């Protein structure tokens, strides 16, 4: 009797785990509908391989560097080009704002690790 | 549940009615323009001249230093497409206007399909498509003889195909997507923004494929470019590239950005939120990358001389798709936020907001489309049908005394078009044509349509000459206006018609010195001045 219940219980548990697993998978797919390429990796040593994809961390690092370098570069125009009049104009202000946003977004992406960008 | 469904249906019905009304106004405006035989928007006539040249198997990229001082500064495709119609029906404005109008309808269908494909919500897909046409910036440029909206159609089709083909590695479909991008680029140069977005997204997914496809794309595009340059004896490079480097005006850029935000905020917010969601929690789709690239680069481009609100058209198409998909996702009640650093760290804040958005979607989503429809309102305020509606809704005209545009015509760079033309406008155009017909010698007109209607040769493309002169320098001499200015100084031109004085400064100086204004005719809200030689 005991023996006959135990396997049934296992089967039921196994079934529940399977259902949960399918539900979780479905929820994940619904929440993230974009298709994944098969066998993706974010290992940078495989940069030019068929399976490499850029991670959120890598994208974050690039955006942070672009944002910071661009921001400094635009400020440097006024410092280096001393003959120029007018200071930081509205176009430069807009560019500084955009680059600051780029840098912040980049910094926020870095903790997301190896998830595909 | 039944009550919720009813509320949703009623609100969605209201949103649909508002956006369908916008469609009716758009179709009526297009039909009105198809019947108008002269320039409506500045520059349309020169697009027609380019098409005529193609229908005669001639290049419009010509030497602007010698008579007739004419050249185009746009890529060829938009002018090639209606060339057979012009060859059959003659130099008619409706040919290019119809092409542009059809392009906007196709783009609308593509947007609707993209939203349905990813969101599986047909009603939201329908409204997302209609939202594209309802945008003031699409509406008033849509049925013009201008190439911008045809470029957007090719861009949207390319993005739609690539968004699905790249993850599935469908080589033929990817090739088709890039082919459409090339068509977009040779319709208008601004398509480079979409090409950049596509390559950036492809790079994120797989750098190897991005490099390989990018190389193929660049080689094909460059081969066409070199071919055009050889065929036109270098004029393609001078007229379409060197002359197109225009000065940036921050006031115009900021004014248009503010207006774009004011008109479209209801859909910009969900579109940007969805892009943010994909960036930090999900995975970036091509639509989100396209949205950001087209918005930032389009906004910058819109601030250059000669540009305008049409530069937001690509961004608006991307906004409609991204917002539509994002809003459709809210109805997926089983969808959960994927595990990520931020959903773990700030789950206490994000999860309730996510659930509240899902719970409120039934009201929120239709409300967004209702607000969008109201915030983009424009319509004629006279006539038997629109006049009654305007009167019932208490809408007063704010443009030309016969049209209401919530965007008004006050922002620099916002094309002052969208109002319907009248019989008086056509009569005024006929008056202008009659004056040209009686002119005893060559005629230079800032709008080409009158000269074409009078059967006279079109001399110069004013804005192109202005672009060339502004980019001309000792180190890069691209314009020599001596022969043209000599013609004016010698009073060889019998009649010069000015509207906005978009000519090179030396030309205008010569006109001021040797010519005098004798008449002025108002057509379509613009004043045309007729300058004749001052008697010796």
């Amino acid at each position: 009797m005991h023996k006959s219940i135990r396997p049934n219980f296992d089967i039921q548990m196994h079934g529940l785990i399977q259902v949960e697993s399918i539900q979780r998978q479905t929820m994940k797919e619904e929440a993230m509908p974009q298709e994944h390429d098969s066998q993706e990796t974010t290992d940078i040593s495989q940069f030019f391989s068929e399976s490499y994809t850029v991670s959120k961390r890598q994208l974050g690092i690039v955006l942070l560097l672009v944002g910071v370098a661009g921001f400094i570069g635009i400020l440097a125009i006024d410092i280096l080009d001393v003959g120029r009049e007018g200071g930081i104009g509205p176009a430069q202000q807009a560019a500084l704002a955009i680059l600051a946003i780029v840098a912040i977004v980049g910094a926020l992406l870095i903790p997301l690790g190896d998830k595909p960008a | 549940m039944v009550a919720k469904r009813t509320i949703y249906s009623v609100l969605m019905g209201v949103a649909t009615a508002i956006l369908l009304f916008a469609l009716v106004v758009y179709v009526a405006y297009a039909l009105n323009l198809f019947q108008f035989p002269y320039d409506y928007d500045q520059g349309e006539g020169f697009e027609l001249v380019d098409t005529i040249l193609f229908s005669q198997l001639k290049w419009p990229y010509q030497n602007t230093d010698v008579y007739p001082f004419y050249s185009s500064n746009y890529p060829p495709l938009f002018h090639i497409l209606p060339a057979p119609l012009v060859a059959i029906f003659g130099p008619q404005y409706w040919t290019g206007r119809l092409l542009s109008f059809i392009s906007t309808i196709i783009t609308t269908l593509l947007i609707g399909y993209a939203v349905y494909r990813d969101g599986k919500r047909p009603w939201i897909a329908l409204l997302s498509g209609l939202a594209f046409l309802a945008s003031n910036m699409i509406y008033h440029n849509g049925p013009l003889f201008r190439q911008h909206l045809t470029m957007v159609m090719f861009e949207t089709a390319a993005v739609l195909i690539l968004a699905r083909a790249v993850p599935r590695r469908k080589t033929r479909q990817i090739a088709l997507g890039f082919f459409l991008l090339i068509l977009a680029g040779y319709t208008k140069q601004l398509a480079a923004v979409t090409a950049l977005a596509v390559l950036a997204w492809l790079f994120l997914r797989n750098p190897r494929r991005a490099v390989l496809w990018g190389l193929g794309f660049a080689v094909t595009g460059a081969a066409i470019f070199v071919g055009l340059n050889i065929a036109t004896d270098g004029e393609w490079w001078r007229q379409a590239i060197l002359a197109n480097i225009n000065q940036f005006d921050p006031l115009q850029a900021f004014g248009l950005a503010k207006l774009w935000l004011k008109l479209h905020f209801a859909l910009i917010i969900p579109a940007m939120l969805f892009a943010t969601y994909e960036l930090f929690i999900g995975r970036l789709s091509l639509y989100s990358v396209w949205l950001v690239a087209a918005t930032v680069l389009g906004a910058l481009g819109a601030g250059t001389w000669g540009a305008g609100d049409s530069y937001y058209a690509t961004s608006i198409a991307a906004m409609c798709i991204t917002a539509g998909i994002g809003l459709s996702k809210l109805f997926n009640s089983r969808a959960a936020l994927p595990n990520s650093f931020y959903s773990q760290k700030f789950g206490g804040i994000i999860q309730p907001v996510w659930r509240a958005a899902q719970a409120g979607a039934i009201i929120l989503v239709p409300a967004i489309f209702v607000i969008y429809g109201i915030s983009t309102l424009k319509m004629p305020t006279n006539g038997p049908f629109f006049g009654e509606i305007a009167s019932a809704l208490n809408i007063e005209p704010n443009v030309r005394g016969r049209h209401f545009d919530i965007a008004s015509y006050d922002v620099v760079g916002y094309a002052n078009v969208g109002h319907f033309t009248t019989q008086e406008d056509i009569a005024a155009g006929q008056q202008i044509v009659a004056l040209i017909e009686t002119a005893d010698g060559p005629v230079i007109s800032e709008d080409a349509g009158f000269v074409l209607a009078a059967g006279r040769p079109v001399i110069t493309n004013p804005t192109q000459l202005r672009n060339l002169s502004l980019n001309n320098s000792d180190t890069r001499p691209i314009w020599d206006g001596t022969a043209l200015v000599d013609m004016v100084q010698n009073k060889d031109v019998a009649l010069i018609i000015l509207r906005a004085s978009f000519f090179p400064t030396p030309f205008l100086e010569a006109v001021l010195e040797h010519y005098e204004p004798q008449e002025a005719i108002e057509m379509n809200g613009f004043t045309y001045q007729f300058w004749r030689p001052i008697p010796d």
Side-chain angles (χ1 to χ4, degrees):
Chain A
M1 188 71 184
H2 181 76
K3 273 185 180 174
S4 66
I5 292 170
R6 186 69 192 171
N8 279 347
F9 178 74
D10 280 349
I11 291 164
Q12 282 172 354
M13 281 304 289
H14 183 66
L16 278 174
I17 291 164
Q18 272 193 329
V19 168
E20 263 188 34
S21 164
I22 291 164
Q23 278 179 338
R24 240 182 275 127
Q25 185 63 27
T26 311
M27 284 160 73
K28 205 174 171 186
E29 279 170 5
E30 281 166 348
M32 255 176 71
Q34 293 82 16
E35 291 174 66
H36 284 260
D37 293 328
S38 58
Q39 296 175 326
E40 286 180 338
T41 175
T42 57
D43 179 357
I44 201 142
S45 66
Q46 297 186 44
F47 192 75
F48 279 110
S49 75
E50 280 281 358
S51 56
Y52 181 81
T53 196
V54 176
S55 71
K56 290 196 185 292
R57 184 179 57 228
Q58 289 159 351
L59 175 63
I61 292 167
V62 171
L63 291 180
L64 180 64
L65 290 175
V66 167
V68 170
F71 195 92
I72 293 169
I74 286 179
L75 285 180
I77 292 171
D78 278 83
I79 297 164
L80 297 175
D81 195 0
V82 284
R84 219 169 125 267
E85 287 180 14
I88 297 174
Q92 276 178 296
Q93 285 174 16
L96 285 173
I98 290 169
L99 289 162
I101 292 168
V102 167
I104 291 166
V105 167
L108 290 172
L109 281 172
I110 292 171
L112 295 175
D114 286 338
K115 289 186 76 175
Chain B
M1 188 63 193
V2 175
K4 273 188 173 180
R5 193 175 288 273
T6 309
I7 292 169
Y8 175 72
S9 298
V10 168
L11 285 173
M12 285 295 272
V14 172
T16 308
I18 293 172
L19 293 179
L20 278 177
F21 177 69
L23 174 67
V24 169
V25 176
Y26 180 62
V27 172
Y29 168 55
L31 291 174
N32 176 270
L33 281 196
F34 294 161
Q35 297 164 63
F36 187 66
Y38 306 112
D39 279 74
Y40 176 70
D41 183 40
Q42 198 282 325
E44 274 191 298
F46 298 104
E47 307 262 11
L48 179 56
V49 174
D50 296 342
T51 308
I52 293 167
L53 288 169
F54 275 115
S55 74
Q56 297 166 350
L57 302 178
K58 291 177 188 164
W59 290 109
Y61 315 107
Q62 301 172 355
N63 184 353
T64 37
D65 299 339
V66 296
Y67 185 86
F69 317 107
Y70 185 85
S71 183
S72 172
N73 67 332
Y74 291 120
L77 188 59
F78 178 75
H79 306 117
I80 291 172
L81 292 174
L85 288 177
V86 166
I88 297 166
F89 297 102
Q92 301 291 329
Y93 278 84
W94 64 260
T95 53
R97 287 174 182 162
L98 180 66
L99 169 64
S100 186
F101 173 74
I102 290 171
S103 300
T104 59
I105 300 297
I106 292 173
T107 309
T108 298
L109 295 173
L110 291 171
I111 290 168
Y113 175 67
V115 174
Y116 177 72
R117 191 174 69 178
D118 280 20
K120 297 284 179 283
R121 290 271 158 183
W123 208 342
I124 294 176
L126 170 75
L127 295 186
S128 302
L130 289 174
F132 175 72
L133 287 183
S135 162
N136 309 58
M137 293 176 171
I138 304 302
Y139 160 83
H140 71 174
N141 288 303
L144 299 180
F145 201 136
R146 309 304 301 259
Q147 65 285 95
H148 205 104
L149 273 303
T150 304
M151 173 197 78
V152 176
M153 174 190 71
F154 286 128
E155 288 176 315
T156 310
V159 166
L160 203 69
I161 289 167
L162 290 167
R164 183 57 68 99
V166 168
R168 295 180 175 200
R169 303 191 181 209
K170 302 272 188 192
T171 307
R172 282 185 187 174
Q173 289 180 21
I174 297 172
L176 175 63
F178 276 104
F179 172 70
L180 287 165
L181 274 183
I182 286 177
L183 294 186
Y186 281 99
T187 302
K188 193 167 182 180
Q189 300 93 321
L190 200 66
V193 171
T194 297
L196 274 176
V198 164
L199 289 170
W201 175 73
L202 193 52
F203 188 87
L204 291 179
R205 292 198 76 99
N206 187 255
R208 177 193 165 94
R209 274 188 287 160
V211 170
L212 292 175
W213 279 107
L215 271 174
F217 176 66
V219 167
T220 312
I224 298 169
F225 192 97
V226 171
L228 277 171
N229 212 38
I230 292 168
T232 60
D233 202 17
E235 290 300 339
W236 161 255
W237 174 249
R238 171 161 74 142
Q239 307 294 346
I241 308 299
L242 294 181
N244 261 327
I245 304 162
N246 294 317
Q247 276 193 326
F248 181 72
D249 178 359
L251 281 180
Q252 180 175 317
F254 291 133
L256 283 173
K258 212 171 135 187
L259 182 64
W260 164 78
L261 192 59
K262 179 187 151 192
L263 296 172
H264 306 97
F265 71 94
L267 286 180
I268 290 170
I269 293 169
M272 288 298 180
L273 281 175
F274 187 63
T276 308
Y277 162 83
E278 287 193 335
L279 180 64
F280 287 105
I281 295 170
R283 188 176 188 180
L284 277 172
S285 65
L286 175 53
Y287 303 126
S288 292
V289 176
W290 188 37
L291 171 72
V292 174
T295 303
V296 174
L297 299 176
L300 290 174
T304 52
W305 190 89
D309 59 283
S310 63
Y311 279 50
Y312 279 96
T314 303
S315 160
I316 292 165
M319 172 196 79
C320 292
I321 293 177
T322 318
I325 294 171
L327 293 173
S328 300
K329 299 288 176 201
L330 285 178
F331 285 96
N332 192 346
S333 57
R334 287 181 301 163
L337 283 174
N339 243 346
S340 83
F341 175 82
Y342 289 111
S343 55
Q344 280 176 351
K345 206 88 174 158
F346 303 104
I349 302 166
I350 297 173
Q351 289 289 359
V353 171
W354 173 252
R355 291 196 195 293
Q358 283 185 313
I362 219 152
I363 308 272
L364 184 69
V365 172
I368 281 172
F369 284 107
V370 169
I371 293 167
Y372 178 82
I374 293 168
S375 63
T376 52
L377 184 67
K378 68 276 156 200
M379 63 177 291
T381 51
N382 61 0
F385 175 66
F386 293 118
E388 281 170 29
I389 293 174
S391 173
L393 296 173
N394 203 22
I395 293 170
E396 295 289 330
N398 65 348
V399 170
R400 310 267 191 264
R402 59 179 192 260
H403 186 76
F404 174 79
D405 186 346
I406 204 159
S408 80
Y409 279 12
D410 301 330
V411 176
V412 179
Y414 183 75
N416 290 353
V417 292
H419 53 279
F420 289 27
T421 59
T422 62
Q423 278 306 314
E424 287 76 34
D425 293 325
I426 293 175
Q430 286 165 345
Q431 259 185 290
I432 295 171
V433 173
L435 282 171
I436 294 171
E437 283 170 340
T438 56
D440 186 19
V443 176
I444 292 179
S445 171
E446 204 165 329
D447 283 345
F450 311 115
V451 183
L452 286 170
R456 297 293 191 96
V458 173
I459 304 171
T460 90
N461 179 347
T463 50
Q464 175 65 0
L465 290 197
R466 186 178 157 83
N467 284 349
L468 285 162
S469 72
L470 290 173
N471 285 294
N472 193 43
S473 66
D474 291 339
T475 52
R476 199 177 59 186
I478 58 171
W479 183 63
D480 179 2
T482 312
L484 175 64
V485 173
D486 280 353
M487 257 184 94
V488 177
Q489 284 175 339
N490 297 334
K491 301 176 185 176
D492 292 337
V493 184
L495 178 64
I496 296 173
I497 306 170
L498 300 182
R499 188 180 102 168
S501 299
F502 285 152
F503 280 91
T505 306
F507 174 90
L508 290 173
E509 284 171 351
V511 172
L512 277 174
E513 197 178 333
H514 300 282
Y515 285 68
E516 58 186 7
Q518 292 186 343
E519 296 114 319
I521 294 177
E522 195 171 307
M523 188 198 81
N524 193 29
F526 302 104
T527 305
Y528 291 85
Q529 290 185 335
F530 296 81
W531 294 66
R532 289 193 173 82
I534 299 170
D536 293 322

